[in-house]
Amino acid sequence: MAPRSTTPQGQRTRASAPSAPPADSVFDGDPADPIAVGRRIRYRRKRLRVTLGQLADQVGMAASALSLIENGKREPKLSTLAAIAKALDTSVEQLIGAKTQSKRMELEIEVERVQRGPMYSSLGLPSVRVGPGLSTEALEAIVALQRQLAHRLDEQAATPEEARRANTDLRARMQKLNNYFERIETMAGELLAAIGHGGGPLSEHHISSLVSHVGFEIHQVPDLPHSTRSVTDLRNKRFYLPARSSIGSTWSVLLQAVGHLLLDHKRPENYGEFLEQRVETNYFAAALMIPESSAVKLLAESKARRELSVDDLRDAFAVSHETAAHRMTNLMTQHFGIPTHFEKVHSSGIIHKAWSNDGIAFPTDHTGAVEGQRACRYFSARQAFSATNRLLSHFQYTDTPGGTFWCSARVERSTDGEFSIAFGVPYEHVKWFRNRDTAVRKQSTCPDPACCQEPPGALADTWDGQSWPSARPATHMLAAMPAGAFPGVDETEVYRFLQRHQPAPTIDPDGDLT
């Protein structure tokens, strides 16, 4: 998302704010599709009548590894791709270019891409092997069926479709970045240096200095519009916050408001931009509350002792467990090469937030949306609610079809109920974490419905047809997406609030009103 040139409320200057890198989105950039690249390699190899083994020998890799690349199951490194291009007497640009060499290749790529996507996997359909034995007519029929199926499912999805698609797209872009935004880390580091923060928790004094540094004031008021968490008055350079709120949540909301300002956000034109801005400001606030340099030093020392822990990061910087777990996902892959996953699950079992780059399989709908799906009851995020001691985190291993994962989970209470915050890593990386010796182990076969979505056979035999539950639907189920640039915010209420809080006019030495 490239920022627009105009600014709300006319010109806005921030001479005292730290210099920032160009305000391009942290999500810019999109690597080539591995399926398409693999198909182009195979097409070129067969056209030259080179066997898989011969090409593998020329490139210096195992035939099995090359087969994974040709099947689009592994994304080749640029050096590997260059070697393959040279061996096939072509260029890297040809292998990753937008054009396909034939109509059949287009069909093969589309069939493969759909079969590996969330829509196909959510339906539990058998996969079709795409090979030379499958006729072009059959491929055309399969593609037509897949397109029609996607269209029908889109029609059934109704009003929340835009939000789910935008969120799915955003998660995919975050995964490509390993949830690490270098531009925001740099900006946060410069800002902390400017206010003289030397490490450790961000104190009230530091936050006050930070707000003054960007030329604003803090005003806590009892009448903040009910649909908002904060309101920024750009004209009078004020941040309005609720008078009655916990200190921790108040500071977090304030830092997010500062993030909107320094990241030069404009009024979002669609729901995707709205979500993107939320992610960036949340990241900005976390990068201030848990500074990268201090956090990486602490994590490196803990890793050397094989004592990595979300609990320690939380306690060292006096933040919530959720903030600490989120920050672990920002830093672990970037600095230590450890892939991670994160879940925030309501006590009802519904997933509110999820992130992964470690291969764990979260439930999805046909669009790839995870939020709103029911988490597997054998995952640590669900098991944590059964813990007898909620003062401590819950640790467990979970065997899944995609491998074994170790997780820590902790239950936190909020105004919206109880949520578990789960952070985990694949088994091969658990050696660096404290509490890896837990004896708790569960098995999950999700997305197989027999795992936990369907009742056990004997129970179903007893009660099938003998019950009629009354569902508790969410109030937004049948509602359209809230209108306006900021979904769910009553702008009339916000403008009336700002009008009430306008500073009184003053008289300058010349007798003029200012």
Side-chain angles (χ1 to χ4, degrees), residues 397-420:
Y397 289 96
T398 309
D399 298 318
T400 77
T404 297
F405 298 86
W406 172 90
C407 302
S408 68
R410 190 180 186 89
V411 176
E412 291 189 332
R413 182 178 294 276
S414 74
T415 55
D416 297 320
E418 287 189 332
F419 291 87
S420 68

Side-chain angles (χ1 to χ4, degrees), residues 246-265:
S246 66
I247 293 296
S249 62
T250 297
W251 292 152
S252 177
V253 168
L254 173 62
L255 294 176
Q256 290 169 36
V258 174
H260 278 299
L261 186 75
L262 297 186
L263 292 166
D264 203 26
H265 286 163

Side-chain angles (χ1 to χ4, degrees), residues 386 394 423 447 492:
S386 303
H394 169 80
F423 169 86
T492 300

